[in-house]
Structures are given as structure tokens and as C-alpha cells.
Amino acid sequence: MSHSTSTAILGIDLGTTNSEVAILHNGRIEVVEVSPGERRLPSCVGLADDGSTLIGNSARNQLALHPERTIHSVKRHMGKEVDLTLGDQHYSPQEISAMILRRLKEIAEQQSGERYQRAVITVPAFFSDAQRQATREAGEIAGLSVERIINEPTAAAVAYEGEHSEPLTILVYDLGGGTFDVSVVRIEQQVVEVLASHGNNQLGGDDFDQLIAEMLMDHLQQEHEVDITESLQAMARIRDAAERTKLALSDSPYYTVEEENLIQHKGRSIHLSLELSRDDYEQAISSLINETMQAIHTALDGANLSVAELDRVLLVGGSTRTPLIQQRIKKELGIDPRFDIDPDLCVAQGAATQGALINGDEVGTVLVDITPYTFGTSVIGFHNGRDYPHCFSPIIPKNSPIPVTRSEAYYTSYDGQDAVNVTVYQGEDPDALNNSEIGRYLVEELQDRPSGSAIIITFALDINGILHVTTREKETGREEELVIDNAIGRLDEDKMVEARARIEQLFSDDEESQLEDESAADGIDSQIKEAQQQIKLARERMGALNETDQEDLIEIIEAIQDGIDQAEEKAIHSAVEELQEFFHYIE
């Protein structure tokens, strides 16, 4: 395929763990897929068995087996005079980074059919001049004219708020794989200024992985009296397992690490099997999170601003998916952090937006599908100074990009508890009863266990607004499921039904004189059609009702259906009126 040379400017987020490239396409910024369904390219470079160069997933996949000929987290070495060994070759950090940049450039060209010669590349706000120069050199080695090196928080602010005309003061909390920084940013009329930054270029998700790895190694030492640090392959597998655990515990309260045939010790094969909880993980990383909270206040002090003067808090970097981080930021600042644009991708989007502005191109806003409400359940807790049985426990926070799946662990409240009533709410109030109930069901025949036995509740919200609620008894694996259709539109559904009925009535009144002249058969056909529509609307609202009301509604629907089957006008009319009275009572 021939490629024409594009004047467009690539936006590249050269990350510690993953890197992304974004382009301007049909007036909008798109992060390019590096493989089907995946927009993140692992920042790994390796040598294959035949001596060929591996970049991205292929290099990442061989890291556990051949760590001696795989390089990762090169960003931590940028600006340093170090040699990185790849097989029998030695490279500078700029050269390894250039390989990643060159691969991103090729991917963008393959996807778009254009050739790119220019790029905007992002760096952490606290990167030194040496680190920035090394990044520029990497771009030039990759065959790119680097139009600008911009700060990652600047790029994130542009991605989120590029269309806003009113002045905004934004705190950007950026925790990636290998670096952390928090920046206070002022954005006004598409001009973005970093007022202050603070961070640590040796702190990130890699350190979270290391803490989990240490827990796994401690377990192996205690359980099998084996020290695996002498085996490069075993250590690489442990690091890989640690990263998988970190990702899993962002969405689930428990994760079991399984690594068979990890290492040979005293003539026998050692297997790793260990269940870790989110509580274990959060306890391990709490000191690192504390450091990032202190950095927030250092940055605010540097900008001479108070918390009250912040308009937004933006989350950037994949490690911000850790629920504890979101909870701590909200507690520290009293502001719900925004993560409605993928935290892994927003920096590349902002870089490409900046490139388009440099080029004089018109750019539309970034479009994402998010949930406009928080979804959760009710639990026994402490509210307004007293024990309260209807505390709202969020599971999927408001503004989460969809599709999304999240799980939380809850615990039985007394010995021998054999049933749990799961009620699903939508809203933001800490009192669940002040939110909208959209479904409920009873989980029965629980195992006879002491109080505190874990029940895992999983919410999975798909792109069509269908919410799947799954309850699993942790000890037995027994599951119950509830499907709630149109969960996102639930708050407006009552008004929609009412409006449809009003419009139908208006049209019925206007057409009454015409209908008098039509045949009786036409009249019953119209009535059946309307009754069928009422049944459809009633079924859509079924999930929002309690069990008793659902039973009453089913009886009314059956009465309408009987009237339709028998083509009895009076029976249909009577049952539809009963349906309308039922919903009037419910409302």
C-alpha cells in the first residue's frame, strides 16, 4: 500500500509501562489500535531466539522466560549515562526509546495510510532538562521531527478541558507505571499553564508490583523455605504475576495467584498458590499513597492555592484505577476525581490535540461513553451518628467509562445467616433510601458459617446500559444473578412512560372523529397495538420494583394479554386502566 506524506502531527505518550500514539482523524482525536481492541503498546524491547528485535507485546510476553534479553521500564533511565544490555549488544536509553517510538510511528502509518514525520511527545512535568533532551533525541533517532515536548499534565488537561472557554484551575494526579507527579494547572482559552508540580520519578505502579512480589516471595519462603531470587526466570514470573494481581484487585476484592512449576528446589517442583485480598494490597501500598497525598499539598503550596480554589481533579495513569487512590483523593480534597477519559489514553489524546493546534487544525472534543450515575447497594453501617441499615455502598462510581465491571466484598452480619437481600440503587446520596431503587433479589441457602463470611457482589454495566448484578458466596462459589435493562435511563423512565401516554392520548383525541368512521376491526386492532405497547413499557419497568409489586404487575400484564388473545375491547380497556392506576400508585 502506498502512503502519502501527512502534514499532521502525531501525539505520543512515551510511558514507563505502556506507550500510546494518537492521530487526528476526521476532525477528532483517536488513539490508534496497536492490535485488535488494544491501544496500549507495552514499552518493552527484546531479542527473539533468531536474533530479531521484538517490540511491544511480543517482547512483553517473553520477559518471564528471557529477562536477560528483554528491556522494560526504560523511561526510568532517560537522561542517565547508562548502558542497557540486549543480548550481546549495548544500547543507550534513547536508542531503546527510539525503537518504541519507531514502532508507534509505523502502527499509525499502517492504520491511516499516511506517512508521519512530526510528533508531540509527552514527559512528566518534573523531568529535568537532561531527561527532556534525551526524549527529544529518541524521537529524532526514530525519524521524527519533535515539534514539542510537553508536560503530561498539560496534555491531560487539554484532553479533558480543551473546549472550555472559562478559566479553570485543575489538579492533575498522574500515577503511571514508573513515575508519579501531581501538577496544578491553569487553563484559559486553550492556553495551559503548569503553575506548580511535585512528584517522584522513581515511584509508580512498578513499585506496587514490587510490594506484591515481596508478599509472594515471603509466602514461598515460609511455605516452602525457598529463595527464588537466584532464578531470573522465576523472578520474572513473580513480577508478571504481581502485575496481574494489581490489575485484578482494582476491580475485585480477592485474587488467587497461581503459578505452577515455578522453580525446582531440592529435587521437587514448587507451585505457588496464594489468595490475596484488596485489603492486603492496600495495606502494602498505603505508605506510597501517603507520599502522593503529601505531594498534592506541596504542589498546592507551590501554586499559592488552597483546596477550595480547585475546579477539577483529573486522574491520569493506569495505576489511578486503584480504588484506594480515588478514595484518598476524595477524602483529602473533598472533590470527586474525574476519570471519564481512559487514564491510560488521555495523555496521548492531549498530545495529539496539541499537535493539531500547532498545525492549525480544527479539533472536536473527545467523546466517551460514561455512566452518569453511581450504582451500588445498601449495607449496614454508620450514618448521621448512629447505626443504620440502609447505608449506600457505591460499586460503580459516577462518570466511569463503560463498559465497566467492578466487584466488592461484603460480609454476613450474624452466625448462620442463610440469606442476603441484595438491593440495587442508582444515585449519589449516602442514604440508600434517598437514591433510586432499580432492582432487588434474595440470595438464599447460604452455607452455615460464622458471621463475617464474604459475599462478593459484581456489577457489570455494558455499553447498552444493561446492568448484570452477580452475587457469589466466596466459600462455595454459588452464584445468583439479576439483569437490569436500561439501568442508565432508569431515573427518567417514569417521565418517559408518562410522556408517551400523554402524547398517545393527544393523538387519540385528535383522531377520534376519524376513528368513528373506521370499521370495528380497525378499532380493535388499534387497541391491541396500544395494549401491546403498554405491556412492553411495563416489562421495561419491572426490574425497578420490589418482589410484591412485581407479582401484582405480572397479574395485570396477564389480564391485558388475555384480553388481547380474546380480542375483548372491554377486557383490554379495563386491564390497561388498572395498569395505569398501578403505576400512579407506585409513583
Side-chain angles (χ1 to χ4, degrees):
M1 178 175 64
S2 62
H3 292 67
S4 60
T5 300
S6 174
T7 60
I9 300 174
L10 294 174
I12 296 177
D13 175 11
L14 183 60
T16 307
T17 307
N18 296 292
S19 297
E20 298 82 30
V21 58
I23 60 174
L24 178 67
H25 180 67
N26 293 332
R28 296 212 174 270
I29 300 299
E30 295 181 2
V31 180
V32 178
E33 286 191 348
V34 300
S35 60
E38 181 56 70
R39 290 176 166 80
R40 296 170 299 174
L41 181 77
S43 300
C44 287
V45 176
L47 282 180
D49 293 335
D50 61 3
S52 60
T53 303
L54 304 174
I55 300 171
N57 280 306
S58 54
R60 175 73 178 78
N61 292 339
Q62 78 156 21
L63 178 59
L65 291 176
H66 300 292
E68 74 284 356
R69 46 185 167 95
T70 310
I71 294 174
H72 65 102
S73 299
V74 65
K75 187 172 180 175
R76 286 188 162 183
H77 300 295
M78 293 296 279
K80 298 178 181 177
E81 296 289 336
V82 296
D83 277 340
L84 303 176
T85 303
L86 199 60
D88 57 1
Q89 297 293 315
H90 297 276
Y91 296 93
S92 68
Q94 291 96 314
E95 290 172 308
I96 296 299
S97 293
M99 295 180 196
I100 298 167
L101 292 171
R102 182 60 179 262
R103 181 66 187 128
L104 290 169
K105 174 179 180 290
E106 290 174 351
I107 290 167
E109 290 175 344
Q110 289 165 4
Q111 293 289 332
S112 67
E114 303 279 345
R115 287 204 180 280
Y116 295 96
Q117 297 178 331
R118 308 156 74 199
V120 170
I121 304 176
T122 63
V123 296
F126 57 82
F127 249 29
S128 66
D129 287 342
Q131 290 168 308
R132 290 168 190 268
Q133 182 58 33
T135 304
R136 184 178 292 277
E137 290 168 357
E140 291 169 356
I141 294 168
L144 289 165
S145 171
V146 182
E147 298 295 315
R148 193 167 298 175
I149 298 288
I150 67 169
N151 293 321
E152 288 163 5
T154 299
V158 168
Y160 270 99
E161 309 290 354
E163 289 280 308
H164 282 268
S165 56
E166 73 273 16
L168 292 173
T169 303
I170 300 167
L171 186 134
V172 181
Y173 180 102
D174 185 350
L175 185 61
T179 59
F180 162 73
D181 68 79
V182 57
S183 301
V184 182
V185 174
R186 184 74 170 170
I187 183 168
E188 186 172 1
Q189 295 180 343
Q190 295 187 329
V191 176
V192 182
E193 178 187 6
V194 178
L195 302 180
S197 286
H198 191 69
N200 183 343
N201 61 6
Q202 299 296 318
L203 169 61
D206 288 354
D207 299 289
F208 294 180
D209 297 348
Q210 180 59 31
L211 290 170
I212 295 174
E214 289 171 7
M215 286 192 279
L216 300 179
M217 289 188 287
D218 288 345
H219 171 75
L220 288 166
Q221 181 66 52
Q222 293 171 13
E223 193 77 9
H224 302 287
E225 297 183 349
V226 59
D227 178 5
I228 67 165
T229 57
E230 296 178 2
S231 168
L232 289 176
Q233 284 80 9
M235 284 300 300
R237 287 180 63 185
I238 285 290
R239 282 192 294 268
D240 187 55
E243 184 182 7
R244 290 198 312 273
T245 303
K246 174 187 68 178
L247 298 176
L249 291 176
S250 293
D251 295 325
S252 302
Y254 295 95
Y255 181 72
T256 300
V257 186
E258 298 276 4
E259 290 289 331
E260 293 189 356
N261 302 314
L262 183 63
I263 193 173
Q264 292 293 319
H265 179 63
K266 295 181 179 179
R268 62 191 180 95
S269 187
I270 301 299
H271 309 291
L272 170 63
S273 180
L274 177 66
E275 181 184 77
L276 292 175
S277 69
R278 186 184 292 163
D279 289 343
D280 297 330
Y281 169 53
E282 291 180 345
Q283 186 176 352
I285 66 173
S286 61
S287 63
L288 297 179
I289 303 302
N290 290 340
E291 182 181 334
T292 70
M293 294 301 113
Q294 292 166 8
I296 289 176
H297 295 290
T298 302
L300 284 171
D301 290 343
N304 293 316
L305 292 173
S306 67
V307 171
E309 292 174 279
L310 291 175
D311 297 305
R312 305 272 197 281
V313 176
L314 309 183
L315 298 185
V316 180
S319 298
T320 60
R321 288 189 173 90
T322 301
L324 178 63
I325 291 172
Q326 299 161 23
Q327 295 161 11
R328 288 292 305 276
I329 288 175
K330 183 174 181 179
K331 182 178 179 181
E332 201 81 18
L333 302 176
I335 301 173
D336 280 311
R338 287 185 59 186
F339 50 93
D340 40 300
I341 299 180
D342 190 319
D344 277 317
L345 306 182
C346 64
V347 170
Q349 290 171 321
T353 302
Q354 188 67 49
L357 294 174
I358 292 171
N359 218 28
D361 298 318
E362 291 290 324
V363 187
T365 54
V366 175
L367 294 178
V368 292
D369 289 307
I370 60 171
T371 166
Y373 319 111
T374 296
F375 294 92
T377 188
S378 59
V379 297
I380 299 171
F382 202 65
H383 182 60
N384 288 337
R386 62 187 177 89
D387 289 331
Y388 186 61
H390 305 293
C391 293
F392 184 53
S393 176
I395 294 178
I396 295 179
K398 177 181 178 180
N399 290 333
S400 295
I402 53 177
V404 58
T405 300
R406 294 280 175 86
S407 299
E408 291 290 345
Y410 300 94
Y411 302 93
T412 54
S413 55
Y414 56 87
D415 293 346
Q417 183 173 344
D418 62 354
V420 173
N421 188 5
V422 179
T423 309
V424 182
Y425 292 95
Q426 175 194 75
E428 314 306 321
D429 200 290
D431 185 341
L433 298 184
N434 291 334
N435 295 324
S436 176
E437 181 184 325
I438 60 173
R440 68 164 63 196
Y441 64 110
L442 187 66
V443 181
E444 298 180 287
E445 299 178 3
L446 297 178
Q447 192 177 41
D448 186 2
R449 302 283 294 172
S451 64
S453 296
I455 306 292
I456 313 298
I457 298 181
T458 300
F459 282 15
L461 184 65
D462 70 16
I463 199 72
N464 299 311
I466 298 173
L467 180 65
H468 294 261
V469 181
T470 305
T471 302
R472 177 170 61 87
E473 188 177 15
K474 183 171 177 289
E475 291 292 331
T476 65
R478 182 176 174 278
E479 290 188 349
E480 294 284 347
E481 185 177 13
L482 170 69
V483 178
I484 301 172
D485 294 325
N486 197 23
I488 289 178
R490 185 64 58 187
L491 286 179
D492 298 323
E493 188 62 33
D494 293 346
K495 292 180 181 177
M496 290 292 290
V497 172
E498 208 173 281
R500 287 191 193 108
R502 281 201 304 270
I503 297 301
E504 289 291 338
Q505 186 62 49
L506 283 174
F507 276 86
S508 296
D509 292 344
D510 290 343
E511 295 170 1
E512 189 174 346
S513 60
Q514 297 176 30
L515 292 173
E516 288 174 357
D517 297 331
E518 293 176 357
S519 67
D522 288 339
I524 188 64
D525 286 346
S526 175
Q527 191 177 26
I528 287 173
K529 188 174 181 180
E530 168 62 18
Q532 288 170 335
Q533 178 67 12
Q534 292 292 336
I535 289 175
K536 180 182 177 184
L537 295 175
R539 284 176 173 156
E540 286 177 357
R541 300 181 65 185
M542 183 84 71
L545 305 178
N546 62 40
E547 192 172 340
T548 301
D549 289 338
Q550 284 184 0
E551 291 174 357
D552 292 343
L553 182 56
I554 289 170
E555 289 182 5
I556 297 171
I557 290 173
E558 288 174 348
I560 298 174
Q561 190 62 54
D562 288 343
I564 291 172
D565 294 342
Q566 297 167 17
E568 287 284 346
E569 290 186 57
K570 288 185 178 179
I572 295 172
H573 180 73
S574 175
V576 169
E577 275 196 342
E578 186 180 358
L579 178 67
Q580 291 169 347
E581 288 175 4
F582 171 82
F583 279 118
H584 179 73
Y585 166 75
I586 291 296
E587 289 158 8

